[in-house]
Amino acid sequence: MIEYENLHNLNKPFFKEFEEAFKEVLQSGWYILGNKVAEFEEKYAAYCDSKHCVGVANGLDALTLSLKALDLPKNAEVIVPSNTYIATILSIVQNGLKPVLVEPNIQTYNIDPTKIEEAITPNTKVIMVVHLYGKVCEMDKIMSIATKHGLKVIEDCAQSHGAKFKNKLSGSFGHYAAHSFYPTKNLGALGDAGAITTSDAELMERVKVLRNYGSKVKYYNEVVGYNSRLDEVQAALLLVKLKYLDKINEHKRKLASIYTNELKSVFIKPQVAQDNFDVYHIYNIRHPKRDALKEYLLKNNIKTEIHYPVSPVKQLAMKNIIDKQVTPISEEIHNTTLSLPISFYHTEPDIKKVVEVLNKF
Ligand SMILES: *Cc1c(COP(=O)(O)O)cnc(C)c1O
């Protein structure tokens, strides 16, 4: 059986270092906001080419606190891609703001910059971009639209750790970048974890206060805050994994190149521009008979996933929240996409086997 993902196998190469890192935190007797969190924040900011990093509890919180810190008026609208993972939209809704969906480009699966301006109204305050599947959005175009209209930009980097666009790192374009270290992400912890990066010292300060009860000095609360802290154990584990992030990304890129070079063209493969350094959090193909294809692969002992089976507009939770918008491009992607195995632990022969089976479909 070739599994889609196996977290034990994925993390096995790091077990020894994880054990040492855990022992260090255990012995330190300091478990919340200590040296490991500070060290991870410093190293991850440097990795992302950002001035500051604030560790938080998870990726959704990273998005939610970034929006919260912008202190937007109640009727503010936030532009977001119509095919994103629900978390991006939830962060907008949780802040009492209005998500305005913009369709993706059918080739990149990222928000279509040519469709952003028509969605801007006097209430629009933020563009939330999502670097989906590990590929950075066309940030040059998006940043110039944002500048022209005086909008803030938040990047959802949950799937794009280490990805680059025109040699610039994902997370280094917008005002805030939200990162998730959910165990399956390219940089994954052994539990929930997240971070916000920014190069603006004042914006950094605001989220730092928000994550810790709205408090700078213990027991003195300046704003209505949250408890959303990255804990010492996860920070210590992430420090181990961060050293190998480039290696993990390189491995996934190598596996992706096998799919791209060897899969027959009946499968629609991801289109990656020359100047886009894709880290392939997900390698998806599209096929009109997606469900039959998934079934066929399973019969041949290959497990796959669908990211995502239901579009945000069709989610029950969004029934009274998102205006009855028609998002045909997003629907097309949700109906035809299939994610193939591409974990750090998969070998080249594993991927060649998947290709061999697929090409016989
Ligand atoms: C995983 C993910 C999130 C949420 O991260 P959590 O750490 O699970 O809260 C947000 N956005 C995208 C695009 C994701 O893939």
Side-chain angles (χ1 to χ4, degrees):
M1 176 67 76
I2 299 177
E3 290 178 273
Y4 180 74
E5 181 61 282
N6 179 314
L7 292 174
H8 174 273
N9 294 350
L10 164 65
N11 285 304
K12 209 165 172 193
F14 316 113
F15 276 6
K16 263 221 122 48
E17 282 187 74
F18 280 162
E19 280 164 13
E20 283 160 23
F22 173 73
K23 219 181 271 171
E24 218 183 304
V25 176
L26 177 68
Q27 298 285 351
S28 79
W30 194 291
Y31 308 124
I32 299 282
L33 297 185
N35 293 334
K36 290 294 179 189
V37 169
E39 189 185 341
F40 176 74
E41 288 174 337
E42 191 186 318
K43 293 207 166 130
Y44 193 64
Y47 182 89
C48 295
D49 215 3
S50 288
K51 289 210 181 98
H52 312 283
C53 170
V54 176
V56 296
N58 54 64
L60 173 58
D61 280 5
L63 290 160
T64 307
L65 297 192
S66 297
L67 266 178
K68 183 85 189 167
L70 294 177
D71 209 9
L72 302 167
K74 264 271 165 289
N75 61 350
E77 293 173 7
V78 180
I79 287 176
V80 65
S82 56
N83 62 324
T84 187
Y85 178 57
I86 198 72
T88 328
I89 296 174
L90 287 179
S91 74
I92 302 169
V93 176
Q94 303 284 21
N95 272 290
L97 306 169
K98 189 177 173 222
V100 174
L101 306 187
V102 168
E103 287 265 76
N105 174 309
I106 189 74
Q107 279 169 346
T108 65
Y109 311 121
N110 278 331
I111 193 165
D112 186 342
T114 68
K115 294 192 178 130
I116 292 177
E117 280 197 297
E118 62 201 52
I120 295 175
T121 74
N123 289 334
T124 308
K125 299 293 177 217
V126 180
I127 304 174
M128 245 178 169
V129 296
V130 182
H131 307 308
L132 203 67
Y133 304 155
K135 192 190 292 80
V136 183
C137 301
E138 294 169 71
M139 291 311 292
D140 47 357
K141 292 178 193 161
I142 294 168
M143 291 312 296
S144 73
I145 294 167
T147 306
K148 182 176 156 197
H149 295 272
L151 308 177
K152 292 282 196 292
V153 173
I154 297 176
E155 301 177 64
D156 182 338
C157 298
Q159 304 189 0
S160 66
H161 313 138
K164 282 176 237 169
F165 176 76
K166 298 191 173 166
N167 266 322
K168 201 164 146 54
L169 274 155
S170 105
S172 67
F173 296 89
H175 297 84
Y176 279 122
H179 309 255
S180 163
F181 308 121
Y182 184 81
T184 59
K185 310 290 191 194
N186 286 29
L187 178 59
L190 300 187
D192 277 314
I196 299 166
T197 54
T198 178
S199 285
D200 182 315
E202 198 211 324
L203 290 183
M204 181 276 291
E205 200 56 50
R206 285 196 226 164
V207 287
K208 208 167 175 177
V209 168
L210 279 176
R211 79 163 168 193
N212 194 25
Y213 293 116
S215 165
K216 243 185 238 168
V217 180
K218 206 172 181 184
Y219 305 131
Y220 292 81
N221 305 86
E222 303 169 18
V223 292
V224 178
Y226 298 81
N227 173 359
S228 181
R229 300 174 297 224
L230 173 62
D231 79 66
E232 281 289 287
V233 172
Q234 295 305 335
L237 302 173
L238 284 166
L239 274 166
V240 170
K241 205 100 168 254
L242 182 59
K243 292 188 288 179
Y244 301 97
L245 177 56
D246 286 338
K247 207 173 150 195
I248 292 168
N249 287 344
E250 271 317 320
H251 186 73
K252 287 167 79 80
R253 283 170 53 80
K254 172 80 205 153
L255 301 184
S257 74
I258 298 173
Y259 285 134
T260 299
N261 294 333
E262 299 184 14
L263 276 179
K264 284 186 183 165
S265 58
V266 291
F267 306 107
I268 302 172
K269 294 175 258 183
Q271 299 281 317
V272 186
Q274 272 288 313
D275 47 12
N276 212 321
F277 185 86
D278 192 327
V279 296
Y280 294 101
H281 171 60
I282 285 165
Y283 190 99
N284 79 316
I285 53 171
R286 290 197 300 113
H287 192 279
K289 297 210 169 75
R290 188 267 317 275
D291 293 339
L293 183 59
K294 189 178 195 331
E295 199 56 31
Y296 161 82
L297 287 166
L298 189 60
K299 275 203 193 107
N300 284 279
N301 295 317
I302 295 165
K303 286 193 186 165
T304 53
E305 289 281 344
I306 296 170
H307 299 94
Y308 299 92
V310 182
S311 67
V313 277
K314 294 212 166 145
Q315 295 286 359
L316 197 57
M318 294 294 132
K319 207 172 63 176
N320 299 314
I321 294 166
I322 299 176
D323 295 339
K324 286 237 171 336
Q325 243 176 294
V326 187
T327 56
I329 296 174
S330 181
E331 292 309 324
E332 173 70 16
I333 296 168
H334 286 87
N335 290 334
T336 56
T337 192
L338 187 67
S339 308
L340 305 179
I342 190 160
S343 175
F344 181 56
Y345 83 88
H346 285 127
T347 63
E348 292 180 32
D350 287 337
I351 303 309
K352 285 188 189 264
K353 176 77 194 165
V354 178
V355 169
E356 186 195 315
V357 172
L358 268 169
N359 282 343
K360 284 188 196 143
F361 180 67

